Amino acid sequence: MNVDVAKKLTEVFPGCLVEQDEFPETHIQLQPDQWSKIASYLKETEELSFDSCMCITGVDFGEEDDLESRYNLHSMKHNHKIEVRISANRKKPIIPTVSHVWQIANWFEREVFDMFGIKFKGHPDLRRMLLPEDWVGYPLRKDYVGPDSYHGIIIPKVKEVWE
Amino acid sequence: MGILENKFQDNIIVAKLDQILSWARSTSPWYFQFGLACCAIEMMATAASRHDLERIGMMPRSSPRQADVMIVAGTVTMKMALRVKKLYEQMADPKYVIAMGSCATSGGPYTPHGYHVLKGVDLIIPVDVYIPGCPPRPESLIEGLIKLQEKIRHERPLTRKNVS
Ligand code: SF4
């Protein structure tokens, strides 16, 4: 299914895929710029009808590498699914939002923002989801170093031996 | 009352006021019920009919104003830590804290790498009894509570200290 959809997308949106020798079976690697439009297309086209965004995941490939956001889409109507991957630069991770296409993406994107710091452009309410609002840093990034204290509460890295 | 009924005339008990006070306190420490993670399930089981905390005089209150004991049952996240502290401050004196489970005593499975977990509630509030276990069985919790009751019973709140 991934290959079929990827072929279709190259016809409708030329240059939307990241250049690769062949279409991979497992996923579709997209460029970020047209993602909003592509998402609506995937949802609204009759023979695709990806009406359910099952999951949005963040991935960090290491301190030198890019971040990535992955979307698992499923169609209730045709019972098929695809995975879309979009990578984002570590220094300036910006990906267009799809929260207006799938409502659930609103919270998924907030969670990915919370943990990886990927900014979803156009998101109506991009606040932290799980951590406190004044938390510094994005904990699931590989280069994350935890704070030494939070509101005056010491965070010992190693607890001293019990007496 | 059964066997004691209608057996006595008007009575006087002679005891130290201190002792009576601590005895009364120790036999009805109402606890502040809030569960933070998996340990809370054991706390609920302890309060339910099989183990029945009310037979040792403890009953759950949902407001810090009415509670004497705070059972910190579960993982205290940094976000929650500020609130736990605030709730402790809202409790009326005398107040006691029980750290239930390894999360509340030391951060448990989240030490030292859990970025979001407070490494023991004793970093923010004074703890009276620590109960180890992940999670502690209801029996351990009851043992901890009885230890706390012992502690309260030996208190002498009215006696002046540091007489010089
Ligand atoms: S001590 Fe174990 S059972 Fe209790 S809250 Fe922590 S992880 Fe859960």
Side-chain angles (χ1 to χ4, degrees):
Chain A
M1 195 64 213
N2 281 305
V3 180
D4 300 343
V5 176
K7 282 194 184 129
K8 194 158 211 148
L9 286 180
T10 33
E11 285 165 24
V12 187
F13 301 94
C16 70
L17 266 68
V18 173
E19 293 293 328
Q20 269 163 327
D21 297 341
E22 54 185 30
F23 300 120
E25 294 265 326
T26 50
H27 62 274
I28 304 170
Q29 190 86 38
L30 283 183
Q31 302 275 14
D33 11 334
Q34 296 187 68
W35 171 227
S36 264
K37 257 188 279 165
I38 296 171
S40 319
Y41 174 79
L42 287 174
K43 188 181 178 189
E44 274 145 30
T45 311
E46 178 55 36
E47 65 268 30
L48 298 176
S49 309
F50 287 105
D51 47 8
S52 153
C53 176
M54 294 195 295
C55 190
I56 299 180
T57 323
V59 182
D60 185 351
F61 286 104
E63 294 175 23
E64 310 290 292
D65 257 318
D66 281 348
L67 303 169
E68 194 172 83
S69 171
R70 299 183 173 177
Y71 304 77
N72 295 90
L73 308 176
H74 178 255
S75 165
M76 297 282 179
K77 194 166 176 190
H78 305 296
N79 197 19
H80 56 210
K81 50 182 174 243
I82 56 169
E83 179 175 324
V84 174
R85 299 182 182 178
I86 299 173
S87 54
N89 188 294
R90 169 175 291 275
K91 298 261 157 50
K92 232 174 118 217
I94 295 175
I95 293 175
T97 181
V98 287
S99 53
H100 53 284
V101 182
W102 297 283
Q103 288 291 315
I104 186 66
N106 188 318
W107 277 27
F108 282 153
E109 286 178 351
R110 274 176 68 186
E111 192 178 348
V112 173
F113 166 72
D114 197 354
M115 294 294 155
F116 293 93
I118 297 175
K119 309 227 170 26
F120 292 91
K121 205 166 121 211
H123 190 289
D125 183 27
L126 198 61
R127 283 177 297 138
R128 281 188 186 275
M129 182 82 164
L130 301 166
L131 286 165
E133 300 231 328
D134 54 357
W135 196 263
V136 181
Y138 304 105
L140 291 195
R141 283 203 190 177
K142 302 268 191 217
D143 53 1
Y144 176 75
V145 183
D148 293 325
S149 72
Y150 175 70
H151 281 264
I153 303 168
I154 306 157
I155 305 178
K157 290 287 185 286
V158 179
K159 183 125 182 168
E160 291 134 46
V161 184
W162 293 88
E163 284 176 348
Chain B
M1 277 286 140
I3 53 167
L4 296 181
E5 216 159 341
N6 299 330
K7 289 275 156 55
F8 303 99
Q9 295 173 341
D10 280 352
N11 279 292
I12 294 177
I13 296 177
V14 180
K16 289 183 199 147
L17 184 57
D18 246 2
Q19 249 166 12
I20 293 185
L21 207 68
S22 334
W23 169 78
R25 273 181 184 173
S26 74
T27 42
S28 67
W30 293 355
Y31 66 94
F32 183 22
Q33 59 153 13
F34 67 103
L36 297 178
C38 5
C39 270
I41 304 294
E42 294 298 297
M43 185 180 71
M44 288 176 230
T46 318
S49 49
R50 190 184 182 95
H51 295 280
D52 194 12
L53 265 188
E54 279 185 37
R55 78 201 148 96
I56 57 168
M58 305 199 58
M59 81 171 150
R61 307 306 299 168
S62 305
S63 153
R65 297 281 184 216
Q66 301 169 347
D68 308 302
V69 184
M70 175 189 251
I71 303 181
V72 184
T75 318
V76 187
T77 57
M78 282 300 170
K79 201 174 182 178
M80 192 64 197
L82 304 175
R83 289 150 178 88
V84 167
K85 196 171 175 197
K86 193 170 279 171
L87 288 170
Y88 176 76
E89 281 158 6
Q90 284 174 355
M91 282 166 67
D93 268 324
K95 49 193 174 185
Y96 306 92
V97 177
I98 286 184
M100 176 183 182
S102 35
C103 280
T105 51
S106 69
Y110 305 97
T111 347
H113 299 298
Y115 59 88
H116 65 301
V117 174
L118 183 69
K119 308 292 186 290
V121 269
D122 48 1
L123 289 170
I124 50 168
I125 52 180
V127 176
D128 292 281
V129 177
Y130 297 86
I131 303 172
C134 180
R137 287 184 56 84
E139 290 89 328
S140 332
L141 179 57
I142 292 173
E143 161 125 35
L145 294 171
I146 289 173
K147 274 263 148 31
L148 179 72
Q149 294 192 341
E150 256 166 44
K151 183 178 170 175
I152 300 173
R153 197 153 39 235
H154 289 116
E155 271 179 2
R156 292 289 168 267
L158 303 181
T159 314
R160 196 199 309 163
K161 291 161 197 86
N162 307 328
V163 191
S164 57

